[in-house]
Amino acid sequence: MNNLTQTTQGKEIGLTSCHTCYMLNKQEQSHCSRCDNALSVRHHHSLQQSWALLITAAILLIPANIYPITMLIDRGNIRHDTIFSGIAHLVHTGMFPIAIILFTASILVPLLKIVGLTVYLTAISFRLPISKKKLMLGFHIIEWIGRWSMLDLFVISITVALVNMGQLLDAKPAPAATAFALVILLTQLAAKVLDTRLLWDRLESKDDTH
Amino acid sequence: MGSDCIKDSVTLCHSCDLVVTKRALPSGVRALCPRCNTVLYDTPYCSINGMLALCITALICFTPANFFPILELHFLGSVRTTTIIEGALAVYDEGYWLVGIAVIITAIIAPGILIISILSQILIIKYRLHSPFFRRQLKRLLGYQHFVSQLTMLEIYLISILVTVFNLSDFADIFLGLGTFCFILLFIATLFLQREYNVEHMWSFLDE
């Protein structure tokens, strides 16, 4: 025990933590002795997987915001709404709290996730001198808020089922809905596949303290 | 190997692989990684019977929450109602199958699997079913636990119902249905269940 310092990592003392059940195992083992799942000290290819998923998500964010996400027929008038115009409409009708909730869930969260993960992955890939503590805090926030983007899709599904009265009043989903669903799915996966231990291996030790 | 003797006294951070010396904690306190602030471990306070009660409550609310109407729309004299499943199927029928499947999985299937999975785990542990068959099932359920709880999005669906009410109040009169009431009960039961549940403690039952 006396040779442990503040920065000793598990791989230096020959131990690795199982990713499924968190049990400590020796590095020579190929499978966890408690849950039988495969062990690996680091998932080195997780960086590439995460990049690939993130870039796809970033590309899909464009159609998700440009194309209409819902179509509304109100007494014969057809109105297409993009994510942004739907929120702008809410602001015009004076429903600010709802507009803020939807703005956060459908515009801010996906954008922050993609920007945040890009910074995170760039920092690992190119060894940027950014504080690891701040990066990790950002990553925890991204993991936690990511799910909230599903809000918009739930609202669409309830609205479509409820508002269905022919030419009088009818709501239908539009192409951006699928793109938006894929953005959520891919960004969640990008954060999930990444082995965050790589960050702490690669960056210089002088970034530890701040 | 020197690693054998320190295996019991240290733990590794899941996020940054830091070696942390384990210490006894007072109940209700969590240990965080000193380097990256990820939760490391906490003291067991889960009472199996309490979790079983929450599980059964959630299970009772589950069916009415999904099959009773959650919202009612009154428009020019006609009344329309919808359930969670109808909402998902309506999007699916319009050709947006990805959205429909996402809604069904996150609002119905994942919460259902979560509740049944925790219930089976509790029953296996509570009645000390030590046969190899049950041990294998417990391992399998615990392995998928994190994935299933990630997919469970009841709280987001609940907010969605409220957002829809305000959204549509522009066009028509909206009323909450019986399903919403059951859904709120389901949400509360699941919320407390997930708070009491700790997957690492469940794994430790396999060591006995």
Side-chain angles (χ1 to χ4, degrees), chain A residues 1 4 6-11 13 15-17 20-22 24-26 28-29 34-36 42 72 74-75 89-90 93 95 98 101-102 133 136 140 147-148 150-151 153-155 157-165 168-169 172-175 177-178 181-182 188 192 196-197 200 208, chain B residues 3-4 6-7 9-12 14-19 21 34-38 70-71 73 75-76 78 80-82 86-88 90-91 94 96 98-99 102-103 106-107 139 143 146-147 149-150 152-153 155-157 159-161 163-164 166-168 170-171 174 199-200 203-204 207:
Chain A
M1 291 298 300
L4 292 183
Q6 277 298 303
T7 53
T8 309
Q9 306 220 122
K11 72 171 185 178
I13 58 168
L15 289 175
T16 187
S17 164
T20 309
C21 74
Y22 306 127
L24 293 192
N25 286 278
K26 275 188 244 159
E28 301 88 69
Q29 286 169 254
R34 180 159 72 184
C35 68
D36 307 329
R42 295 289 184 273
L72 187 77
D74 185 6
R75 288 167 205 117
H89 182 75
L90 279 175
T93 48
M95 287 187 276
I98 302 297
I101 293 176
L102 274 182
K133 272 204 166 127
M136 205 62 214
H140 285 315
R147 304 143 43 92
W148 281 91
M150 276 299 284
L151 187 80
L153 295 183
F154 288 152
V155 170
S157 94
I158 305 174
T159 312
V160 168
L162 211 51
V163 184
N164 180 9
M165 298 178 186
L168 272 181
L169 194 61
K172 283 186 186 336
T178 301
L182 279 170
Q188 285 298 90
K192 190 160 173 49
T196 52
R197 294 174 297 188
W200 300 87
D208 264 345
Chain B
S3 57
D4 266 337
I6 56 173
K7 206 167 155 180
S9 57
V10 298
T11 184
L12 298 181
H14 320 317
S15 299
C16 74
D17 209 26
L18 182 74
V19 182
T21 316
R35 192 160 71 166
C36 71
N37 291 327
T38 307
I70 44 168
L71 285 181
L73 179 136
F75 180 72
L76 300 175
S78 63
R80 276 195 69 89
T81 61
T82 187
E86 279 171 8
V91 193
E94 293 287 339
Y96 295 89
L98 186 75
V99 182
V103 173
T106 53
K139 273 183 196 176
H146 181 69
F147 181 63
S149 62
Q150 274 268 307
T152 303
M153 302 189 184
E155 72 277 26
I156 304 168
Y157 203 93
I159 304 290
S160 308
I161 296 177
V163 170
T164 314
F166 282 103
N167 246 340
L168 293 178
D170 231 16
F171 303 98
I174 302 280
V199 77
E200 282 194 66
W203 276 115
S204 65
D207 295 338

Side-chain angles (χ1 to χ4, degrees), chain A residues 32-45:
Chain A
C32 174
S33 51
R34 180 159 72 184
C35 68
D36 307 329
N37 278 294
L39 286 174
S40 84
V41 181
R42 295 289 184 273
H43 301 281
H44 285 288
H45 53 273

